mmCIF file of all heavy atoms in Angstrom:
data_model
loop_
_atom_site.group_PDB
_atom_site.id
_atom_site.type_symbol
_atom_site.label_atom_id
_atom_site.label_comp_id
_atom_site.label_asym_id
_atom_site.label_seq_id
_atom_site.Cartn_x
_atom_site.Cartn_y
_atom_site.Cartn_z
ATOM 1 N N SER A 116 20.111 -10.016 -30.263
ATOM 2 C CA SER A 116 20.972 -8.982 -29.696
ATOM 3 C C SER A 116 21.537 -8.050 -30.757
ATOM 4 O O SER A 116 21.994 -6.951 -30.429
ATOM 5 C CB SER A 116 22.116 -9.626 -28.905
ATOM 6 O OG SER A 116 23.017 -10.312 -29.765
ATOM 7 N N PHE A 117 21.504 -8.457 -32.024
ATOM 8 C CA PHE A 117 21.996 -7.601 -33.114
ATOM 9 C C PHE A 117 20.865 -6.857 -33.819
ATOM 10 O O PHE A 117 21.117 -6.128 -34.774
ATOM 11 C CB PHE A 117 22.771 -8.446 -34.136
ATOM 12 C CG PHE A 117 24.064 -8.985 -33.620
ATOM 13 C CD1 PHE A 117 24.163 -10.300 -33.191
ATOM 14 C CD2 PHE A 117 25.194 -8.175 -33.543
ATOM 15 C CE1 PHE A 117 25.356 -10.805 -32.718
ATOM 16 C CE2 PHE A 117 26.393 -8.667 -33.069
ATOM 17 C CZ PHE A 117 26.481 -9.986 -32.643
ATOM 18 N N TRP A 118 19.646 -7.055 -33.388
ATOM 19 C CA TRP A 118 18.525 -6.364 -34.011
ATOM 20 C C TRP A 118 18.418 -4.925 -33.514
ATOM 21 O O TRP A 118 18.976 -4.555 -32.481
ATOM 22 C CB TRP A 118 17.217 -7.091 -33.704
ATOM 23 C CG TRP A 118 17.051 -8.375 -34.462
ATOM 24 C CD1 TRP A 118 17.989 -9.000 -35.216
ATOM 25 C CD2 TRP A 118 15.887 -9.195 -34.509
ATOM 26 N NE1 TRP A 118 17.489 -10.169 -35.740
ATOM 27 C CE2 TRP A 118 16.196 -10.309 -35.326
ATOM 28 C CE3 TRP A 118 14.617 -9.114 -33.947
ATOM 29 C CZ2 TRP A 118 15.271 -11.305 -35.590
ATOM 30 C CZ3 TRP A 118 13.693 -10.110 -34.205
ATOM 31 C CH2 TRP A 118 14.015 -11.193 -35.017
ATOM 32 N N ASP A 119 17.668 -4.134 -34.264
ATOM 33 C CA ASP A 119 17.346 -2.762 -33.876
ATOM 34 C C ASP A 119 15.936 -2.748 -33.307
ATOM 35 O O ASP A 119 15.186 -3.721 -33.452
ATOM 36 C CB ASP A 119 17.457 -1.839 -35.084
ATOM 37 C CG ASP A 119 17.589 -0.377 -34.672
ATOM 38 O OD1 ASP A 119 17.552 -0.092 -33.456
ATOM 39 O OD2 ASP A 119 17.723 0.474 -35.566
ATOM 40 N N PHE A 120 15.561 -1.653 -32.672
ATOM 41 C CA PHE A 120 14.216 -1.550 -32.104
ATOM 42 C C PHE A 120 13.847 -0.095 -31.938
ATOM 43 O O PHE A 120 14.704 0.802 -31.938
ATOM 44 C CB PHE A 120 14.155 -2.262 -30.742
ATOM 45 C CG PHE A 120 15.032 -1.632 -29.683
ATOM 46 C CD1 PHE A 120 14.528 -0.701 -28.793
ATOM 47 C CD2 PHE A 120 16.379 -1.983 -29.580
ATOM 48 C CE1 PHE A 120 15.336 -0.129 -27.824
ATOM 49 C CE2 PHE A 120 17.193 -1.413 -28.619
ATOM 50 C CZ PHE A 120 16.668 -0.486 -27.739
ATOM 51 N N ASN A 121 12.551 0.148 -31.845
ATOM 52 C CA ASN A 121 12.056 1.469 -31.489
ATOM 53 C C ASN A 121 11.012 1.301 -30.393
ATOM 54 O O ASN A 121 10.932 0.248 -29.767
ATOM 55 C CB ASN A 121 11.477 2.198 -32.717
ATOM 56 C CG ASN A 121 10.418 1.375 -33.433
ATOM 57 O OD1 ASN A 121 9.681 0.600 -32.807
ATOM 58 N ND2 ASN A 121 10.326 1.532 -34.756
ATOM 59 N N ALA A 122 10.209 2.305 -30.174
ATOM 60 C CA ALA A 122 9.258 2.248 -29.067
ATOM 61 C C ALA A 122 8.101 1.295 -29.321
ATOM 62 O O ALA A 122 7.342 0.984 -28.390
ATOM 63 C CB ALA A 122 8.711 3.646 -28.783
ATOM 64 N N TYR A 123 7.968 0.816 -30.554
ATOM 65 C CA TYR A 123 6.784 0.023 -30.890
ATOM 66 C C TYR A 123 7.099 -1.392 -31.369
ATOM 67 O O TYR A 123 6.274 -2.283 -31.234
ATOM 68 C CB TYR A 123 5.965 0.734 -31.983
ATOM 69 C CG TYR A 123 5.641 2.162 -31.652
ATOM 70 C CD1 TYR A 123 6.389 3.206 -32.210
ATOM 71 C CD2 TYR A 123 4.608 2.475 -30.783
ATOM 72 C CE1 TYR A 123 6.089 4.526 -31.906
ATOM 73 C CE2 TYR A 123 4.302 3.791 -30.468
ATOM 74 C CZ TYR A 123 5.051 4.816 -31.031
ATOM 75 O OH TYR A 123 4.769 6.112 -30.720
ATOM 76 N N GLN A 124 8.272 -1.627 -31.942
ATOM 77 C CA GLN A 124 8.501 -2.919 -32.578
ATOM 78 C C GLN A 124 9.986 -3.248 -32.638
ATOM 79 O O GLN A 124 10.843 -2.368 -32.455
ATOM 80 C CB GLN A 124 7.925 -2.914 -33.997
ATOM 81 C CG GLN A 124 8.562 -1.858 -34.897
ATOM 82 C CD GLN A 124 7.942 -1.823 -36.276
ATOM 83 O OE1 GLN A 124 7.262 -2.767 -36.682
ATOM 84 N NE2 GLN A 124 8.170 -0.741 -37.013
ATOM 85 N N LEU A 125 10.240 -4.521 -32.908
ATOM 86 C CA LEU A 125 11.593 -4.985 -33.169
ATOM 87 C C LEU A 125 11.878 -4.897 -34.652
ATOM 88 O O LEU A 125 11.006 -5.165 -35.481
ATOM 89 C CB LEU A 125 11.752 -6.434 -32.691
ATOM 90 C CG LEU A 125 11.472 -6.717 -31.217
ATOM 91 C CD1 LEU A 125 11.694 -8.201 -30.927
ATOM 92 C CD2 LEU A 125 12.347 -5.883 -30.318
ATOM 93 N N LEU A 126 13.099 -4.527 -34.986
ATOM 94 C CA LEU A 126 13.490 -4.350 -36.383
ATOM 95 C C LEU A 126 14.628 -5.310 -36.694
ATOM 96 O O LEU A 126 15.769 -5.068 -36.286
ATOM 97 C CB LEU A 126 13.922 -2.898 -36.641
ATOM 98 C CG LEU A 126 12.893 -1.817 -36.287
ATOM 99 C CD1 LEU A 126 13.506 -0.433 -36.437
ATOM 100 C CD2 LEU A 126 11.651 -1.962 -37.151
ATOM 101 N N PRO A 127 14.343 -6.430 -37.359
ATOM 102 C CA PRO A 127 15.432 -7.360 -37.716
ATOM 103 C C PRO A 127 16.523 -6.664 -38.495
ATOM 104 O O PRO A 127 16.274 -6.035 -39.533
ATOM 105 C CB PRO A 127 14.711 -8.425 -38.561
ATOM 106 C CG PRO A 127 13.290 -8.362 -38.098
ATOM 107 C CD PRO A 127 13.024 -6.915 -37.809
ATOM 108 N N ASP A 128 17.737 -6.741 -38.008
ATOM 109 C CA ASP A 128 18.862 -6.036 -38.615
ATOM 110 C C ASP A 128 20.134 -6.675 -38.097
ATOM 111 O O ASP A 128 20.111 -7.664 -37.364
ATOM 112 C CB ASP A 128 18.781 -4.550 -38.260
ATOM 113 C CG ASP A 128 19.583 -3.665 -39.213
ATOM 114 O OD1 ASP A 128 20.370 -4.221 -40.005
ATOM 115 O OD2 ASP A 128 19.425 -2.436 -39.159
ATOM 116 N N PHE A 129 21.263 -6.098 -38.473
ATOM 117 C CA PHE A 129 22.550 -6.521 -37.923
ATOM 118 C C PHE A 129 23.334 -5.270 -37.580
ATOM 119 O O PHE A 129 23.980 -4.666 -38.433
ATOM 120 C CB PHE A 129 23.318 -7.386 -38.919
ATOM 121 C CG PHE A 129 24.578 -7.979 -38.328
ATOM 122 C CD1 PHE A 129 24.531 -9.163 -37.605
ATOM 123 C CD2 PHE A 129 25.806 -7.346 -38.478
ATOM 124 C CE1 PHE A 129 25.681 -9.707 -37.052
ATOM 125 C CE2 PHE A 129 26.956 -7.876 -37.927
ATOM 126 C CZ PHE A 129 26.894 -9.065 -37.212
ATOM 127 N N ILE A 130 23.225 -4.852 -36.322
ATOM 128 C CA ILE A 130 23.891 -3.645 -35.851
ATOM 129 C C ILE A 130 24.682 -3.971 -34.590
ATOM 130 O O ILE A 130 24.405 -4.935 -33.880
ATOM 131 C CB ILE A 130 22.878 -2.516 -35.540
ATOM 132 C CG1 ILE A 130 21.916 -2.963 -34.425
ATOM 133 C CG2 ILE A 130 22.102 -2.126 -36.793
ATOM 134 C CD1 ILE A 130 21.004 -1.865 -33.934
ATOM 135 N N TRP A 131 25.704 -3.144 -34.345
ATOM 136 C CA TRP A 131 26.531 -3.307 -33.147
ATOM 137 C C TRP A 131 26.164 -2.292 -32.063
ATOM 138 O O TRP A 131 26.811 -2.218 -31.022
ATOM 139 C CB TRP A 131 28.007 -3.126 -33.500
ATOM 140 C CG TRP A 131 28.544 -4.196 -34.389
ATOM 141 C CD1 TRP A 131 28.631 -4.172 -35.753
ATOM 142 C CD2 TRP A 131 29.061 -5.460 -33.979
ATOM 143 N NE1 TRP A 131 29.172 -5.340 -36.227
ATOM 144 C CE2 TRP A 131 29.448 -6.158 -35.155
ATOM 145 C CE3 TRP A 131 29.236 -6.098 -32.750
ATOM 146 C CZ2 TRP A 131 29.993 -7.435 -35.127
ATOM 147 C CZ3 TRP A 131 29.774 -7.365 -32.710
ATOM 148 C CH2 TRP A 131 30.147 -8.023 -33.893
ATOM 149 N N GLY A 132 25.102 -1.517 -32.321
ATOM 150 C CA GLY A 132 24.749 -0.445 -31.401
ATOM 151 C C GLY A 132 24.412 -0.915 -30.004
ATOM 152 O O GLY A 132 24.742 -0.241 -29.019
ATOM 153 N N ASN A 133 23.744 -2.057 -29.892
ATOM 154 C CA ASN A 133 23.373 -2.565 -28.570
ATOM 155 C C ASN A 133 24.604 -2.885 -27.736
ATOM 156 O O ASN A 133 24.672 -2.545 -26.551
ATOM 157 C CB ASN A 133 22.501 -3.811 -28.724
ATOM 158 C CG ASN A 133 21.198 -3.521 -29.426
ATOM 159 O OD1 ASN A 133 20.578 -2.490 -29.201
ATOM 160 N ND2 ASN A 133 20.773 -4.437 -30.296
ATOM 161 N N TYR A 134 25.581 -3.530 -28.360
ATOM 162 C CA TYR A 134 26.813 -3.868 -27.648
ATOM 163 C C TYR A 134 27.665 -2.627 -27.406
ATOM 164 O O TYR A 134 28.312 -2.516 -26.352
ATOM 165 C CB TYR A 134 27.611 -4.900 -28.435
ATOM 166 C CG TYR A 134 26.991 -6.271 -28.434
ATOM 167 C CD1 TYR A 134 26.222 -6.707 -29.505
ATOM 168 C CD2 TYR A 134 27.159 -7.136 -27.354
ATOM 169 C CE1 TYR A 134 25.638 -7.971 -29.505
ATOM 170 C CE2 TYR A 134 26.590 -8.393 -27.348
ATOM 171 C CZ TYR A 134 25.834 -8.800 -28.425
ATOM 172 O OH TYR A 134 25.245 -10.049 -28.419
ATOM 173 N N GLU A 135 27.674 -1.709 -28.361
ATOM 174 C CA GLU A 135 28.463 -0.481 -28.196
ATOM 175 C C GLU A 135 27.953 0.325 -27.015
ATOM 176 O O GLU A 135 28.735 0.806 -26.177
ATOM 177 C CB GLU A 135 28.401 0.348 -29.473
ATOM 178 C CG GLU A 135 29.229 1.626 -29.414
ATOM 179 C CD GLU A 135 29.161 2.406 -30.708
ATOM 180 O OE1 GLU A 135 28.521 1.928 -31.670
ATOM 181 O OE2 GLU A 135 29.746 3.511 -30.763
ATOM 182 N N PHE A 136 26.637 0.478 -26.926
ATOM 183 C CA PHE A 136 26.067 1.219 -25.796
ATOM 184 C C PHE A 136 26.321 0.484 -24.489
ATOM 185 O O PHE A 136 26.656 1.087 -23.460
ATOM 186 C CB PHE A 136 24.567 1.411 -26.014
ATOM 187 C CG PHE A 136 23.874 2.052 -24.843
ATOM 188 C CD1 PHE A 136 23.940 3.419 -24.638
ATOM 189 C CD2 PHE A 136 23.154 1.278 -23.933
ATOM 190 C CE1 PHE A 136 23.311 4.013 -23.551
ATOM 191 C CE2 PHE A 136 22.530 1.858 -22.846
ATOM 192 C CZ PHE A 136 22.605 3.224 -22.655
ATOM 193 N N LEU A 137 26.189 -0.834 -24.527
ATOM 194 C CA LEU A 137 26.354 -1.641 -23.318
ATOM 195 C C LEU A 137 27.774 -1.555 -22.774
ATOM 196 O O LEU A 137 27.993 -1.395 -21.566
ATOM 197 C CB LEU A 137 25.983 -3.089 -23.618
ATOM 198 C CG LEU A 137 26.054 -4.081 -22.453
ATOM 199 C CD1 LEU A 137 24.969 -3.771 -21.427
ATOM 200 C CD2 LEU A 137 25.901 -5.509 -22.962
ATOM 201 N N LEU A 138 28.759 -1.648 -23.657
ATOM 202 C CA LEU A 138 30.151 -1.712 -23.230
ATOM 203 C C LEU A 138 30.762 -0.350 -22.942
ATOM 204 O O LEU A 138 31.864 -0.270 -22.392
ATOM 205 C CB LEU A 138 30.987 -2.436 -24.297
ATOM 206 C CG LEU A 138 30.585 -3.891 -24.571
ATOM 207 C CD1 LEU A 138 31.404 -4.472 -25.710
ATOM 208 C CD2 LEU A 138 30.737 -4.738 -23.311
#
Side-chain angles (χ1 to χ4, degrees):
S116 68
F117 292 101
W118 287 9
D119 199 358
F120 64 95
N121 54 32
Y123 308 100
Q124 61 183 343
L125 302 181
L126 304 173
D128 200 348
F129 187 85
I130 61 173
W131 293 94
N133 297 321
Y134 289 98
E135 182 179 357
F136 175 79
L137 182 68
L138 298 176

